[in-house]
Amino acid sequence: MGKNKKRPVYLNLFKIRLPVGGILSILHRATGAFLVLLLPFALYILDRSLQDPTVFAEISTRLMSLEGRIALLIMVWAFAQHFMSGLRHLLLDIGVGDSKATARLNAWLAFAASGVVVLLTGVCLWNA
């Protein structure tokens, strides 16, 4: 008997090297899911902070603690990464930067831009 040519092929996902655009695309989806899951929590915090000035002061104090600042930086990174990669995808959809070299450069620029946003936010948070 001959071998079955239609059998599934084992793919080791840890050995596959995605291009930077593929990694950016996966991160775009992951940060989008994270932001959707974060939305109820953010709305709850907003609702609580608008109830009373003392509750607002308490929430502000918690957000200015080390854990709060780290959480804020993670949220800012997710939003910035999602925004920058979404902007890149929109530009690719209208045909701007769709050559291989330009698309690779734009992916790196999206990573760099989100890093700059997080860095500036971190400087503002720790100098406040």
Side-chain angles (χ1 to χ4, degrees):
M1 278 202 209
K3 285 188 170 183
N4 184 359
K5 300 287 184 187
K6 295 183 180 180
R7 66 187 187 99
V9 177
Y10 170 72
L11 293 176
N12 187 349
L13 297 178
F14 295 108
K15 289 188 178 181
I16 294 175
R17 291 198 48 190
L18 281 175
V20 67
I23 294 169
L24 188 74
S25 181
I26 291 170
L27 271 178
H28 180 69
R29 294 170 191 221
T31 54
F34 176 69
L35 290 171
V36 165
L37 293 174
L38 187 69
L39 190 60
F41 176 73
L43 289 175
Y44 173 74
I45 294 296
L46 177 65
D47 180 52
R48 294 254 321 162
S49 69
L50 294 175
Q51 287 177 358
D52 188 22
T54 58
V55 176
F56 176 79
E58 177 187 332
I59 290 173
S60 296
T61 304
R62 286 186 182 178
L63 287 178
M64 285 300 120
S65 68
L66 178 64
E67 296 86 8
R69 289 177 184 187
I70 291 172
L72 282 173
L73 280 179
I74 291 170
M75 289 184 272
V76 166
W77 171 80
F79 180 76
Q81 185 65 46
H82 189 73
F83 180 79
M84 298 301 174
S85 59
L87 189 62
R88 177 183 176 266
H89 285 300
L90 285 174
L91 290 173
L92 286 173
D93 286 345
I94 61 173
V96 175
D98 55 357
S99 71
K100 186 177 179 180
T102 310
R104 182 178 292 135
L105 176 66
N106 289 342
W108 283 112
L109 287 175
F111 276 124
S114 64
V116 167
V117 168
V118 170
L119 185 67
L120 291 174
T121 303
V123 167
C124 290
L125 279 176
W126 264 269
N127 287 333

